Amino acid sequence: MRFSCHQKALLSSINIVQKAVSSKTTLPILKGIYIEALDNYLKLVATDLEIGIEHIVEAKTHNKGSVVVDARLFSEIIRKLPDAEVEISLEENNQIYIKCENSEFNIVSYNSQDFPELPTIEEDYSYEISQDLFKNMIRQTVFATSQDESRPVLTGALVEIENDTLNMVALDGYRLALKKGKIQSHIDNKVIIPAKTLSEINRIISDNEEQLTITLTNNHALFVIGNTKMISRLLEGEFINYKQILPKEYKSKVKVKTRNLLDSIERASLVAREGKNNLVKFTISDDKMTITSNSELGKVHEQIYIDFEGEEVEIAFNSKYLIDVLKIMEDEEVYLEFTTNLSPGILKPVSNDNYIYLILPVRLSSN
Amino acid sequence: MRFSCHQKALLSSINIVQKAVSSKTTLPILKGIYIEALDNYLKLVATDLEIGIEHIVEAKTHNKGSVVVDARLFSEIIRKLPDAEVEISLEENNQIYIKCENSEFNIVSYNSQDFPELPTIEEDYSYEISQDLFKNMIRQTVFATSQDESRPVLTGALVEIENDTLNMVALDGYRLALKKGKIQSHIDNKVIIPAKTLSEINRIISDNEEQLTITLTNNHALFVIGNTKMISRLLEGEFINYKQILPKEYKSKVKVKTRNLLDSIERASLVAREGKNNLVKFTISDDKMTITSNSELGKVHEQIYIDFEGEEVEIAFNSKYLIDVLKIMEDEEVYLEFTTNLSPGILKPVSNDNYIYLILPVRLSSN
């Protein structure tokens, strides 16, 4: 195997696939990047057996072939090389020879035969969605997935395609985030994608309107973005019937400036976090909302002007769950909807119906 | 005690003194900031008993008095408040009341009587030096101080004032950094300032030509920068007679581009660090320097064009000690001077004589 490739192009390719390299693994070869020199391009692959990423980059191939190099060492070498053409060849005893201007490296490599192949996905039927929309869907839901490995389905997000709409849903038993997006589709579908996969996809895709192609099989999801392919295992099991949880009506409705609400809750949570559940209390009546919290550290009293209709309400929440969602809201104003102080509260953007966030209240000791 | 102060001004004052707050201490009050409301200003003080910082900020004082507040909680509260006037008063039961627009806090405070007073320093004779020069002196030496607490004097830098020159010297047994700067002075002096103090001063002073005032006593150094005072304990003991260590002559002299040398050594060190001492080998002859290194991971061969006079030399160093100094060199070119491959190497900027870096070689196994 012998090829040459420009340092910057090779580095950017390494940076993409490296996200799938296993950080802790009992299989040493998974710490590697598989590099195959084909006619006029290289194929780089990395996988931790959950996620696999493949990237294609232009190169001048003199002899075809493949190797597996240690991801960390190889990426550091390429990163430190000058902005010039890099020649790489496989020599005797599995040695890789790397040359760039006046620098020469000889490093050991793994046998490429031992590298696991990525699963083959039939791309019979695929969905297309713009990258910025998909990025936004991930950003607004994935934080609400559960960290608790004892309920595996909740460590992923439901991706549900029905009637030309893609619903992405995450929930952890305390809150639920639902984001809807338009998608062209003739086939409905429903899978659970691990949160880690979505976070990695989020790092790879751009904030523009170029299309991302998604293929879903029974066990895998395949994402294709330009020269990059990412394959992920799906989570097995039945997702919670989330539609049942969403309240159909409300008794009180508040319109409030997102920024003011976030600032007030963040201040209130400064003393709240000493307690166990970051408890902050909301008292809503007329045109104002009072947010209070207290602990051994002290107490806080915040007041915000609001638009309000319906019944007065006094309700308490874990401030973390509100701060999480208010930080990712793009709208200047949000609606809050309440029924009783024991039933879930709802947060929605004012400008559209594409996002719903549900949060369970904390029972006040006086109830 | 009752005063009001603008949020931004109060926050910036907190940020300055907070650097002296003890992170781990058995004395809870040292986790606090002492605030004293005086006629038209506040005095904020924090100390970990090694370093003390005092800062003065304008305020409207309604009632004089003092309190000690928990540094972390108080700074987070002030940071999160809106950009507006903040009213603060001491209420019953040591409660501090904080009000800013529609936010109100009540937090507990410590008794200000229990806060340790900073030592009084007689400012009879002081030195003045421009902030940017002092910052530069710290940056170019303090990294060479020792981390080894068993030899306390080496965990600080020698500050030696003689004949209108300030010499700052740090050494750790493997390398030595000496930076010289002009200073107006009638009195010679010699103290050892802890590296931590110098690093904190470095964060407080600006990159401009405004003056910094330094007062040195037997036990303390006082630094005055605008409205900020910093007092530090000095290290006791005798500093090593560094002048004896500096070689008077050399047999080989190399002129090389700083950037090229740094890049090559960084690349060579990628495989070198697997070994115990980051060993990289330099072979210097004619107009080129070859830098090599090898370990179980592989081997590297680098070549750089140089200006060279004197005897050919083959010498090895711990790459870390060279990378440290090359990263802080501002000159485009440096001189390297060698005598034998068992005696210290010298690195100097080409453009001036104000900086000398000495580094001990590593004995090559073939010697």
Side-chain angles (χ1 to χ4, degrees), chain A residues 1-41:
Chain A
M1 186 204 70
R2 197 170 136 242
F3 65 84
S4 71
C5 180
H6 198 89
Q7 181 261 352
K8 283 228 175 335
L10 184 56
L11 180 59
S12 110
S13 184
I14 293 167
N15 285 342
I16 290 170
V17 300
Q18 202 169 14
K19 297 185 174 79
V21 173
S22 216
S23 50
K24 34 189 175 183
T25 174
T26 48
L27 224 75
I29 200 162
L30 296 185
K31 290 184 187 157
I33 295 175
Y34 171 95
I35 302 176
E36 186 171 354
L38 293 141
D39 272 331
N40 293 308
Y41 66 94

Side-chain angles (χ1 to χ4, degrees), chain B residues 141 167-169 176-180 242 246 354-357:
Chain B
T141 56
N167 295 327
M168 194 177 284
V169 188
L176 174 155
L178 159 62
K179 176 79 180 179
K180 297 177 191 176
Y242 73 91
L246 296 173
N354 296 332
Y355 188 68
I356 297 174
Y357 186 79

Side-chain angles (χ1 to χ4, degrees), chain A residues 1 3 21 27-37 43-47 65-74 88-90 93-96 107-117:
Chain A
M1 186 204 70
F3 65 84
V21 173
L27 224 75
I29 200 162
L30 296 185
K31 290 184 187 157
I33 295 175
Y34 171 95
I35 302 176
E36 186 171 354
K43 185 168 91 174
L44 277 75
V45 184
T47 180
S66 58
V67 285
V68 175
V69 289
D70 181 81
R72 204 168 64 112
L73 179 63
F74 188 69
I88 297 183
S89 56
L90 178 59
N93 300 323
N94 276 334
Q95 292 276 316
I96 308 289
I107 60 169
V108 291
S109 71
Y110 298 98
N111 190 332
S112 64
Q113 308 270 304
D114 300 336
F115 198 79
E117 267 188 61

Side-chain angles (χ1 to χ4, degrees), chain A residues 76-77 80-82 102-108 266-267 270 273 297-303, chain B residues 73 76-77 80-82 102-108 266-267 270 273 297-303:
Chain A
E76 285 182 346
I77 291 172
K80 296 278 186 194
L81 287 177
N102 295 317
S103 303
E104 293 169 77
F105 287 79
N106 283 282
I107 60 169
V108 291
E266 283 193 324
R267 284 191 293 264
L270 290 177
R273 66 169 171 218
L297 287 181
K299 53 187 183 184
V300 188
H301 182 278
E302 292 277 336
Q303 203 165 287
Chain B
L73 179 62
E76 284 183 347
I77 290 172
K80 295 279 187 193
L81 287 177
N102 295 315
S103 302
E104 294 168 77
F105 287 78
N106 283 281
I107 59 168
V108 291
E266 283 194 324
R267 284 192 292 264
L270 290 177
R273 67 169 171 219
L297 286 181
K299 53 187 184 185
V300 188
H301 182 279
E302 292 276 336
Q303 202 164 287

Side-chain angles (χ1 to χ4, degrees), chain A residues 123-183:
Chain A
E123 295 177 56
D124 296 340
Y125 187 79
S126 299
Y127 306 95
E128 294 223 321
I129 190 165
S130 77
Q131 296 190 32
D132 55 355
L133 173 58
F134 200 67
K135 202 174 175 73
N136 206 14
M137 298 185 89
I138 294 170
R139 205 171 63 91
Q140 298 197 333
T141 56
V142 81
F143 69 89
T145 53
S146 172
Q147 310 297 313
D148 180 0
E149 296 289 341
S150 70
R151 296 180 72 187
V153 288
L154 299 189
T155 64
L158 177 71
V159 168
E160 180 186 54
I161 297 162
E162 50 179 33
N163 309 327
D164 284 0
T165 301
L166 190 156
N167 295 325
M168 194 178 284
V169 188
L171 65 95
D172 66 1
Y174 304 99
R175 38 66 184 279
L176 174 155
L178 160 62
K179 176 78 179 178
K180 298 176 189 177
K182 281 280 152 220
I183 191 169

Side-chain angles (χ1 to χ4, degrees), chain B residues 24-49:
Chain B
K24 33 190 175 181
T25 173
T26 48
L27 224 75
I29 201 163
L30 296 185
K31 289 184 187 158
I33 294 174
Y34 171 93
I35 302 176
E36 185 171 356
L38 292 141
D39 273 333
N40 294 308
Y41 65 93
L42 307 176
K43 185 167 91 175
L44 277 75
V45 184
T47 180
D48 63 2
L49 302 180

Side-chain angles (χ1 to χ4, degrees), chain A residues 136-137 139-144 160 165-172 174-181 242-250 253 321-322 324-326 328-329 331 334-338 344-360:
Chain A
N136 206 14
M137 298 185 89
R139 205 171 63 91
Q140 298 197 333
T141 56
V142 81
F143 69 89
E160 180 186 54
T165 301
L166 190 156
N167 295 325
M168 194 178 284
V169 188
L171 65 95
D172 66 1
Y174 304 99
R175 38 66 184 279
L176 174 155
L178 160 62
K179 176 78 179 178
K180 298 176 189 177
Y242 72 93
K243 285 173 189 169
Q244 254 179 2
I245 305 172
L246 298 172
K248 304 280 176 293
E249 49 197 16
Y250 57 84
K253 185 169 188 169
Y321 298 144
L322 280 163
D324 280 353
V325 68
L326 288 165
I328 55 86
M329 291 305 294
D331 282 63
V334 291
Y335 288 126
L336 302 174
E337 296 169 359
F338 306 105
I346 292 288
L347 186 147
K348 292 174 179 175
V350 163
S351 69
N352 66 71
D353 280 335
N354 295 333
Y355 188 67
I356 297 174
Y357 186 79
L358 173 148
I359 170 171
L360 292 187

